[in-house]
Amino acid sequence: IVRGILMSPKRVEEGIAPGTSAAMKRHDTPKRKQEMWVMYKKQNSGSRFLMISTWRYPGVSRAGKKIPIPNEIREELGL
């Protein structure tokens, strides 16, 4: 599933960590709507990726909308 998201994402946005991107692909079932996300960093050698995190988002997120991150978490991450 993760490789499929990286190779043919439905949407790609800027990741929350510096220099990263986040790719999304819908993974709906008849009972629920959800998105599968992968945060990655592109390596120097062309088509290689460094996968940082994966997660499921229940529902449908808005395209291009910044993810609200609490100030305590921003300070902890150094953002």
Side-chain angles (χ1 to χ4, degrees):
I1 292 177
V2 173
R3 185 180 296 172
I5 296 169
L6 288 173
M7 295 304 149
S8 59
K10 181 171 180 179
R11 191 167 84 216
V12 178
E13 296 190 6
E14 181 182 343
I16 60 170
T20 62
S21 298
M24 180 276 291
K25 198 169 201 179
R26 303 275 326 148
H27 188 60
D28 296 336
T29 65
K31 292 187 176 185
R32 68 176 163 227
K33 306 253 184 251
Q34 60 186 359
E35 299 172 343
M36 300 288 294
W37 284 88
V38 177
M39 184 168 46
Y40 65 93
K41 185 172 186 174
K42 198 144 186 163
Q43 296 292 338
N44 295 336
S45 58
S47 64
R48 296 187 54 97
F49 299 100
L50 174 63
M51 186 177 63
I52 298 168
S53 177
T54 63
W55 66 95
R56 289 180 195 254
Y57 181 82
V60 179
S61 63
R62 293 186 180 182
K65 183 145 180 152
K66 290 282 188 184
I67 299 169
I69 303 170
N71 288 334
E72 303 108 28
I73 304 298
R74 285 189 180 277
E75 290 172 3
E76 188 174 319
L77 293 173
L79 298 176

Coordinates of all heavy atoms in Angstrom, one line a residue:
I1 N 0.8 -1.2 0.0 CA 0.0 0.0 0.0 C 0.9 1.3 0.0 O 0.6 2.2 -0.7 CB -1.0 0.0 1.2 CG1 -2.0 -1.1 1.1 CG2 -1.6 1.3 1.3 CD1 -2.9 -1.2 2.2
V2 N 1.9 1.3 0.8 CA 2.8 2.5 0.9 C 3.5 2.7 -0.4 O 3.5 3.9 -0.9 CB 3.8 2.3 2.1 CG1 4.8 3.4 2.1 CG2 3.1 2.2 3.4
R3 N 4.0 1.7 -1.0 CA 4.7 1.9 -2.3 C 3.7 2.4 -3.4 O 4.1 3.3 -4.2 CB 5.2 0.6 -2.8 CG 6.1 0.7 -4.1 CD 6.6 -0.6 -4.5 NE 7.6 -1.1 -3.6 CZ 8.2 -2.2 -3.6 NH1 7.9 -3.1 -4.6 NH2 9.0 -2.6 -2.7
G4 N 2.5 2.0 -3.4 CA 1.5 2.5 -4.3 C 1.2 4.0 -4.1 O 0.9 4.7 -5.0
I5 N 1.2 4.4 -2.8 CA 1.0 5.8 -2.5 C 2.1 6.6 -3.0 O 1.9 7.7 -3.6 CB 0.8 6.0 -1.0 CG1 -0.5 5.3 -0.5 CG2 0.7 7.5 -0.6 CD1 -0.6 5.2 1.0
L6 N 3.3 6.2 -2.8 CA 4.5 6.9 -3.3 C 4.6 7.0 -4.8 O 5.0 8.0 -5.4 CB 5.8 6.3 -2.7 CG 6.0 6.5 -1.3 CD1 7.3 5.7 -0.8 CD2 6.2 8.0 -1.0
M7 N 4.2 5.9 -5.5 CA 4.3 5.8 -7.0 C 3.2 6.5 -7.7 O 3.4 7.1 -8.8 CB 4.4 4.4 -7.4 CG 5.6 3.7 -6.9 SD 7.1 4.5 -7.4 CE 8.2 4.1 -6.1
S8 N 2.0 6.5 -7.1 CA 0.9 7.2 -7.8 C -0.1 7.8 -6.8 O -1.2 7.3 -6.6 CB 0.1 6.2 -8.7 OG -0.4 5.1 -7.9
P9 N 0.4 8.9 -6.2 CA -0.5 9.6 -5.2 C -1.6 10.3 -5.8 O -1.5 10.8 -7.0 CB 0.5 10.5 -4.5 CG 1.5 10.8 -5.5 CD 1.7 9.6 -6.3
K10 N -2.7 10.5 -5.1 CA -3.8 11.3 -5.5 C -3.5 12.8 -5.3 O -3.9 13.7 -6.0 CB -5.1 10.9 -4.8 CG -6.3 11.7 -5.3 CD -7.6 11.3 -4.8 CE -8.6 12.2 -5.4 NZ -9.9 11.9 -5.0
R11 N -2.8 13.0 -4.2 CA -2.4 14.4 -3.8 C -1.1 14.4 -3.1 O -0.8 13.5 -2.3 CB -3.5 15.0 -2.9 CG -3.4 16.4 -2.6 CD -4.7 17.0 -2.0 NE -4.6 16.8 -0.6 CZ -5.7 16.5 0.2 NH1 -6.9 16.3 -0.3 NH2 -5.6 16.4 1.5
V12 N -0.3 15.4 -3.4 CA 1.0 15.6 -2.7 C 1.1 17.0 -2.1 O 0.7 18.0 -2.8 CB 2.2 15.4 -3.7 CG1 3.5 15.7 -3.0 CG2 2.2 14.1 -4.3
E13 N 1.5 17.1 -0.9 CA 1.6 18.4 -0.2 C 2.9 18.5 0.6 O 3.6 17.5 0.7 CB 0.4 18.6 0.8 CG -0.9 18.6 0.1 CD -2.1 19.1 1.0 OE1 -1.8 19.4 2.1 OE2 -3.2 19.0 0.5
E14 N 3.2 19.7 1.0 CA 4.4 19.9 1.8 C 4.2 19.2 3.2 O 3.2 19.3 3.8 CB 4.6 21.4 2.0 CG 5.8 21.8 2.8 CD 5.9 23.3 3.0 OE1 5.2 24.0 2.3 OE2 6.7 23.7 3.9
G15 N 5.3 18.5 3.6 CA 5.2 17.9 4.9 C 5.4 18.8 6.1 O 5.9 20.0 5.9
I16 N 5.1 18.4 7.3 CA 5.3 19.3 8.4 C 6.7 19.4 8.9 O 7.1 20.4 9.5 CB 4.4 18.9 9.6 CG1 4.8 17.5 10.1 CG2 2.9 19.0 9.3 CD1 4.1 17.2 11.4
A17 N 7.6 18.4 8.6 CA 9.0 18.5 8.9 C 9.7 19.2 7.7 O 9.3 19.1 6.6 CB 9.6 17.1 9.1
P18 N 10.8 20.0 8.0 CA 11.4 20.7 7.0 C 12.0 19.8 5.9 O 12.6 18.8 6.2 CB 12.6 21.4 7.7 CG 12.2 21.5 9.1 CD 11.3 20.3 9.3
G19 N 11.8 20.2 4.6 CA 12.3 19.4 3.5 C 11.6 18.1 3.2 O 12.1 17.3 2.5
T20 N 10.4 17.9 3.7 CA 9.7 16.7 3.4 C 8.4 17.0 2.6 O 8.0 18.1 2.5 CB 9.2 16.0 4.7 OG1 8.4 16.9 5.5 CG2 10.4 15.7 5.6
S21 N 7.8 15.9 2.1 CA 6.6 16.0 1.3 C 5.7 14.9 1.9 O 6.1 14.0 2.5 CB 6.8 15.7 -0.1 OG 7.6 16.6 -0.7
A22 N 4.4 15.1 1.7 CA 3.4 14.1 2.2 C 2.5 13.8 1.0 O 2.0 14.7 0.3 CB 2.5 14.7 3.3
A23 N 2.3 12.5 0.7 CA 1.5 12.0 -0.4 C 0.3 11.3 0.2 O 0.4 10.6 1.2 CB 2.3 11.1 -1.3
M24 N -0.8 11.4 -0.5 CA -2.1 10.8 0.0 C -2.8 10.0 -1.1 O -2.7 10.4 -2.3 CB -3.0 11.9 0.4 CG -4.4 11.5 1.0 SD -5.7 11.2 -0.2 CE -6.0 12.8 -0.8
K25 N -3.4 8.9 -0.7 CA -4.3 8.2 -1.6 C -5.5 7.8 -0.8 O -5.4 7.4 0.3 CB -3.5 6.9 -2.1 CG -4.1 6.3 -3.4 CD -3.1 5.3 -3.9 CE -3.5 5.1 -5.4 NZ -2.5 4.1 -6.0
R26 N -6.7 7.8 -1.5 CA -7.9 7.5 -0.8 C -7.9 5.9 -0.6 O -7.5 5.2 -1.4 CB -9.1 7.8 -1.7 CG -9.2 9.3 -2.0 CD -9.9 10.2 -1.0 NE -11.0 9.6 -0.3 CZ -11.3 9.9 0.9 NH1 -10.6 10.8 1.5 NH2 -12.3 9.3 1.5
H27 N -8.5 5.5 0.5 CA -8.7 4.1 0.8 C -10.0 3.9 1.4 O -10.2 3.7 2.6 CB -7.5 3.7 1.8 CG -7.5 2.2 2.0 ND1 -7.3 1.3 1.0 CD2 -7.6 1.5 3.1 CE1 -7.3 0.1 1.5 NE2 -7.5 0.1 2.8
D28 N -11.1 4.1 0.6 CA -12.4 4.0 1.1 C -13.0 2.6 1.1 O -12.6 1.8 0.3 CB -13.4 4.9 0.2 CG -13.0 6.3 0.2 OD1 -12.4 6.8 1.2 OD2 -13.3 7.1 -0.7
T29 N -13.9 2.4 2.0 CA -14.6 1.1 2.1 C -16.1 1.5 2.0 O -16.4 2.7 2.2 CB -14.4 0.3 3.4 OG1 -14.8 1.1 4.5 CG2 -12.9 0.0 3.5
P30 N -17.0 0.6 1.8 CA -18.4 0.9 1.8 C -18.9 1.6 3.1 O -19.8 2.4 3.1 CB -19.1 -0.4 1.5 CG -18.1 -1.2 0.8 CD -16.8 -0.8 1.4
K31 N -18.3 1.2 4.2 CA -18.7 1.7 5.5 C -18.0 3.0 6.0 O -18.6 3.7 6.8 CB -18.5 0.7 6.6 CG -19.4 -0.5 6.4 CD -19.3 -1.5 7.6 CE -20.3 -2.6 7.5 NZ -20.3 -3.4 8.6
R32 N -16.8 3.3 5.5 CA -16.1 4.5 5.9 C -15.2 5.0 4.9 O -14.7 4.3 4.0 CB -15.4 4.2 7.2 CG -14.2 3.3 7.0 CD -13.4 3.1 8.3 NE -12.6 1.9 8.2 CZ -12.5 1.0 9.1 NH1 -13.1 1.1 10.2 NH2 -11.7 -0.1 8.8
K33 N -15.0 6.3 5.0 CA -14.1 7.1 4.1 C -12.8 7.3 4.9 O -12.8 7.7 6.0 CB -14.7 8.4 3.6 CG -16.0 8.3 3.0 CD -16.0 8.5 1.6 CE -17.3 8.5 0.9 NZ -17.6 7.3 0.1
Q34 N -11.6 7.1 4.2 CA -10.4 7.4 4.9 C -9.3 7.6 3.9 O -9.4 7.3 2.7 CB -10.0 6.2 5.8 CG -9.8 4.9 5.2 CD -9.6 3.8 6.2 OE1 -9.5 4.1 7.4 NE2 -9.4 2.6 5.8
E35 N -8.2 8.3 4.3 CA -7.1 8.6 3.5 C -5.8 7.9 4.1 O -5.7 7.8 5.3 CB -6.8 10.1 3.4 CG -8.0 10.8 2.8 CD -7.8 12.3 2.9 OE1 -7.0 12.8 3.7 OE2 -8.6 13.0 2.2
M36 N -5.0 7.4 3.2 CA -3.7 6.9 3.7 C -2.6 7.9 3.3 O -2.6 8.3 2.1 CB -3.4 5.6 3.0 CG -4.4 4.5 3.3 SD -4.3 3.8 4.9 CE -2.7 3.1 4.9
W37 N -1.8 8.3 4.3 CA -0.8 9.3 4.0 C 0.6 8.8 4.3 O 0.8 7.9 5.2 CB -1.0 10.5 5.0 CG -2.1 11.4 4.6 CD1 -3.4 11.3 4.9 CD2 -2.0 12.6 3.8 NE1 -4.1 12.3 4.4 CE2 -3.3 13.1 3.7 CE3 -0.9 13.2 3.1 CZ2 -3.5 14.3 3.0 CZ3 -1.2 14.4 2.4 CH2 -2.5 14.9 2.3
V38 N 1.6 9.2 3.5 CA 3.0 8.9 3.7 C 3.8 10.2 3.7 O 3.7 11.0 2.8 CB 3.5 8.0 2.6 CG1 5.0 7.7 2.8 CG2 2.7 6.7 2.5
M39 N 4.6 10.4 4.8 CA 5.5 11.6 4.8 C 6.9 11.0 4.4 O 7.4 10.0 5.0 CB 5.6 12.3 6.1 CG 6.5 13.5 6.1 SD 6.4 14.6 7.5 CE 6.5 13.6 8.9
Y40 N 7.6 11.7 3.4 CA 8.8 11.2 2.9 C 9.8 12.3 2.6 O 9.3 13.4 2.5 CB 8.6 10.2 1.7 CG 8.0 11.0 0.5 CD1 8.9 11.5 -0.5 CD2 6.7 11.2 0.4 CE1 8.3 12.2 -1.5 CE2 6.1 11.8 -0.7 CZ 7.0 12.3 -1.6 OH 6.4 13.0 -2.7
K41 N 11.0 11.9 2.4 CA 12.0 12.9 1.9 C 12.7 12.2 0.7 O 13.1 11.1 0.7 CB 13.0 13.2 3.0 CG 14.0 14.2 2.6 CD 14.9 14.6 3.8 CE 15.8 15.8 3.4 NZ 16.5 16.3 4.6
K42 N 12.8 13.0 -0.4 CA 13.4 12.5 -1.6 C 14.9 12.4 -1.5 O 15.5 13.4 -1.0 CB 13.0 13.3 -2.8 CG 13.2 12.6 -4.1 CD 12.1 13.0 -5.1 CE 12.3 12.2 -6.3 NZ 11.2 12.1 -7.1
Q43 N 15.5 11.3 -1.8 CA 17.0 11.2 -1.7 C 17.6 11.8 -2.9 O 17.0 12.0 -3.9 CB 17.3 9.7 -1.5 CG 16.8 9.0 -0.3 CD 17.5 9.6 1.0 OE1 18.6 10.1 0.9 NE2 16.9 9.4 2.1
N44 N 18.9 12.0 -2.8 CA 19.7 12.6 -3.9 C 19.8 11.7 -5.1 O 20.0 12.2 -6.2 CB 21.1 13.0 -3.4 CG 21.1 14.1 -2.3 OD1 20.1 14.8 -2.3 ND2 22.1 14.1 -1.5
S45 N 19.7 10.4 -4.9 CA 20.0 9.5 -6.0 C 18.8 9.3 -6.9 O 18.5 8.1 -7.3 CB 20.5 8.2 -5.5 OG 19.6 7.7 -4.6
G46 N 18.0 10.3 -7.2 CA 16.9 10.1 -8.2 C 15.6 9.7 -7.6 O 14.9 10.4 -6.9
S47 N 15.3 8.4 -7.8 CA 13.9 7.9 -7.5 C 13.9 7.2 -6.1 O 13.0 6.4 -5.9 CB 13.5 6.9 -8.6 OG 14.3 5.8 -8.6
R48 N 14.8 7.5 -5.2 CA 14.8 6.8 -3.9 C 14.1 7.8 -2.9 O 14.3 9.0 -2.9 CB 16.2 6.5 -3.5 CG 16.8 5.4 -4.4 CD 18.1 4.9 -3.9 NE 18.0 4.4 -2.5 CZ 17.9 3.1 -2.2 NH1 17.8 2.2 -3.1 NH2 17.9 2.8 -0.9
F49 N 13.4 7.2 -2.0 CA 12.7 7.9 -0.9 C 13.1 7.4 0.4 O 13.3 6.3 0.6 CB 11.1 7.7 -1.1 CG 10.5 8.1 -2.4 CD1 10.3 7.2 -3.3 CD2 10.2 9.4 -2.6 CE1 9.7 7.6 -4.5 CE2 9.7 9.8 -3.8 CZ 9.4 8.9 -4.7
L50 N 13.1 8.4 1.4 CA 13.3 8.0 2.8 C 12.0 8.2 3.4 O 11.5 9.3 3.6 CB 14.4 9.0 3.4 CG 14.6 8.8 4.9 CD1 15.1 7.4 5.3 CD2 15.5 9.9 5.4
M51 N 11.3 7.1 3.8 CA 10.0 7.2 4.4 C 10.1 7.5 5.9 O 10.9 6.9 6.6 CB 9.3 5.8 4.3 CG 7.9 5.9 4.7 SD 7.0 4.4 4.5 CE 7.9 3.3 5.6
I52 N 9.4 8.6 6.3 CA 9.5 9.1 7.6 C 8.3 8.6 8.5 O 8.5 8.1 9.6 CB 9.6 10.6 7.6 CG1 10.8 11.0 6.9 CG2 9.5 11.1 9.1 CD1 10.9 12.5 6.6
S53 N 7.1 8.6 7.9 CA 5.9 8.3 8.7 C 4.8 7.9 7.8 O 4.7 8.4 6.7 CB 5.5 9.5 9.6 OG 4.4 9.2 10.3
T54 N 3.9 7.1 8.3 CA 2.6 6.8 7.6 C 1.5 6.9 8.6 O 1.7 6.6 9.8 CB 2.6 5.4 7.0 OG1 2.8 4.4 8.1 CG2 3.8 5.2 6.0
W55 N 0.3 7.2 8.1 CA -0.9 7.3 9.0 C -2.1 7.3 8.1 O -2.1 7.5 6.9 CB -0.8 8.6 9.8 CG -1.0 9.9 9.1 CD1 -2.1 10.6 8.9 CD2 0.1 10.6 8.5 NE1 -1.9 11.7 8.2 CE2 -0.5 11.8 7.9 CE3 1.4 10.4 8.3 CZ2 0.2 12.7 7.2 CZ3 2.2 11.4 7.6 CH2 1.5 12.5 7.1
R56 N -3.2 6.9 8.8 CA -4.6 6.9 8.2 C -5.3 8.2 8.8 O -5.2 8.4 10.0 CB -5.4 5.7 8.7 CG -4.9 4.4 8.1 CD -5.8 3.3 8.6 NE -5.3 2.0 8.3 CZ -5.7 1.2 7.3 NH1 -6.7 1.6 6.6 NH2 -5.1 0.1 7.1
Y57 N -6.0 8.8 7.9 CA -6.8 10.0 8.3 C -8.2 9.6 8.1 O -8.7 9.3 7.0 CB -6.4 11.2 7.5 CG -7.2 12.4 7.9 CD1 -6.8 13.2 8.9 CD2 -8.3 12.8 7.2 CE1 -7.5 14.3 9.3 CE2 -9.0 13.9 7.5 CZ -8.6 14.7 8.6 OH -9.3 15.8 9.0
P58 N -9.0 9.6 9.1 CA -10.5 9.2 9.0 C -11.2 10.4 8.3 O -11.1 11.6 8.8 CB -10.9 9.0 10.4 CG -10.0 9.8 11.3 CD -8.7 9.8 10.5
G59 N -12.0 10.2 7.3 CA -12.7 11.2 6.6 C -12.0 11.7 5.4 O -11.2 11.1 4.8
V60 N -12.3 13.0 5.1 CA -11.7 13.6 3.9 C -11.1 15.0 4.3 O -11.7 15.8 4.9 CB -12.8 13.9 2.9 CG1 -12.2 14.6 1.6 CG2 -13.5 12.6 2.5
S61 N -9.8 15.1 4.1 CA -9.1 16.3 4.4 C -9.2 17.3 3.3 O -9.3 17.0 2.1 CB -7.6 16.1 4.8 OG -7.0 15.6 3.6
R62 N -9.1 18.6 3.6 CA -9.1 19.7 2.6 C -7.8 19.8 1.9 O -6.8 19.8 2.6 CB -9.6 21.0 3.2 CG -11.0 20.9 3.7 CD -11.4 22.3 4.1 NE -12.8 22.3 4.6 CZ -13.4 23.3 5.1 NH1 -12.8 24.5 5.1 NH2 -14.6 23.2 5.5
A63 N -7.8 20.0 0.6 CA -6.5 20.1 -0.1 C -5.9 21.5 0.2 O -6.6 22.5 0.2 CB -6.8 20.0 -1.6
G64 N -4.6 21.4 0.4 CA -3.8 22.6 0.6 C -4.0 23.3 1.9 O -3.4 24.3 2.2
K65 N -4.8 22.8 2.8 CA -5.0 23.4 4.1 C -3.9 23.0 5.1 O -3.6 21.8 5.2 CB -6.4 23.0 4.7 CG -6.7 23.6 6.0 CD -8.2 23.9 6.1 CE -8.4 24.5 7.4 NZ -9.5 25.4 7.4
K66 N -3.3 23.9 5.8 CA -2.3 23.7 6.7 C -2.8 22.8 7.9 O -3.9 23.1 8.4 CB -1.6 25.0 7.3 CG -0.8 25.7 6.2 CD 0.5 25.1 6.1 CE 1.4 25.9 5.2 NZ 2.6 25.3 4.9
I67 N -2.0 21.9 8.4 CA -2.4 21.1 9.5 C -2.1 21.9 10.8 O -1.0 22.4 11.0 CB -1.6 19.8 9.5 CG1 -1.9 19.0 8.2 CG2 -2.0 18.9 10.7 CD1 -1.0 17.8 8.0
P68 N -3.2 22.0 11.6 CA -2.9 22.8 12.9 C -2.1 22.0 13.8 O -2.4 20.9 14.2 CB -4.3 23.0 13.4 CG -5.2 22.0 12.8 CD -4.5 21.6 11.5
I69 N -0.9 22.5 14.2 CA 0.0 21.9 15.1 C 0.1 22.7 16.4 O 0.4 23.9 16.3 CB 1.4 21.7 14.5 CG1 1.3 20.9 13.2 CG2 2.3 21.0 15.5 CD1 2.6 20.9 12.4
P70 N -0.2 22.1 17.6 CA -0.1 22.9 18.8 C 1.3 23.5 19.0 O 2.3 22.9 18.6 CB -0.5 21.9 19.9 CG -1.2 20.8 19.2 CD -0.6 20.7 17.8
N71 N 1.3 24.6 19.7 CA 2.6 25.3 19.9 C 3.6 24.5 20.7 O 4.8 24.5 20.4 CB 2.4 26.6 20.6 CG 1.7 27.7 19.7 OD1 1.9 27.6 18.5 ND2 1.0 28.6 20.3
E72 N 3.1 23.6 21.7 CA 4.0 22.8 22.4 C 4.7 21.8 21.5 O 5.9 21.5 21.7 CB 3.3 22.0 23.5 CG 2.5 22.9 24.5 CD 1.0 22.7 24.3 OE1 0.5 21.7 23.8 OE2 0.3 23.7 24.6
I73 N 4.0 21.2 20.6 CA 4.6 20.3 19.6 C 5.6 21.0 18.7 O 6.7 20.4 18.4 CB 3.5 19.5 18.8 CG1 2.5 18.9 19.8 CG2 4.1 18.6 17.9 CD1 3.1 17.8 20.6
R74 N 5.2 22.2 18.2 CA 6.2 22.9 17.4 C 7.5 23.2 18.1 O 8.5 23.0 17.5 CB 5.5 24.2 16.9 CG 4.5 24.1 15.9 CD 4.1 25.5 15.4 NE 3.1 25.4 14.4 CZ 3.4 25.1 13.1 NH1 4.6 25.0 12.7 NH2 2.4 25.0 12.2
E75 N 7.4 23.6 19.4 CA 8.6 23.8 20.1 C 9.4 22.6 20.3 O 10.7 22.6 20.2 CB 8.3 24.4 21.5 CG 7.7 25.9 21.4 CD 7.1 26.4 22.7 OE1 7.2 25.6 23.7 OE2 6.6 27.5 22.7
E76 N 8.7 21.5 20.6 CA 9.4 20.2 20.8 C 10.1 19.7 19.5 O 11.3 19.2 19.5 CB 8.4 19.1 21.2 CG 9.0 17.8 21.6 CD 8.0 16.9 22.2 OE1 7.1 17.3 23.0 OE2 8.1 15.7 21.9
L77 N 9.5 20.0 18.3 CA 10.1 19.6 17.1 C 11.1 20.6 16.6 O 11.9 20.3 15.6 CB 9.0 19.4 16.0 CG 8.0 18.3 16.2 CD1 6.9 18.4 15.2 CD2 8.8 17.0 16.1
G78 N 11.1 21.8 17.1 CA 12.1 22.9 16.7 C 11.6 23.6 15.5 O 12.4 24.0 14.7
L79 N 10.3 23.7 15.2 CA 9.8 24.3 14.0 C 9.5 25.8 14.3 O 9.2 26.2 15.3 CB 8.5 23.6 13.6 CG 8.6 22.1 13.2 CD1 7.2 21.6 12.9 CD2 9.5 22.0 12.0

